[in-house]
Amino acid sequence: MNPLIISLGAGVLVGLFYALLRVRSPAPPAIALIGLLGMIIGGQLIHLVKPVQQTAAVASHVDKRS
């Protein structure tokens, strides 16, 4: 299952739990949303950087063999 869907489901469950207990979020909503956005962007950047690193590693390995 897609990790983003699992994260969304967990967030919804925690949100419902907080609402049922009438607990306020420990962080102001704007700060919490910016933090979550940063986590999502960071997670996506890892997927973009990994192939570039692997390509660079293969290229340097090929250069050493020449």
Side-chain angles (χ1 to χ4, degrees):
M1 186 177 272
N2 188 342
L4 291 176
I5 294 173
I6 294 171
S7 296
L8 177 63
V12 169
L13 287 175
V14 169
L16 289 172
F17 185 69
Y18 270 36
L20 289 173
L21 294 178
R22 297 181 185 196
V23 175
R24 291 196 41 102
S25 175
I31 293 172
L33 289 176
I34 291 170
L36 289 173
L37 179 63
M39 290 169 58
I40 291 172
I41 291 171
Q44 295 303 313
L45 285 176
I46 293 296
H47 296 296
L48 294 174
V49 172
K50 270 186 177 180
V52 171
Q53 287 177 338
Q54 290 173 349
T55 302
V58 169
S60 68
H61 182 69
V62 170
D63 289 342
K64 290 178 184 177
R65 294 174 74 191
S66 300

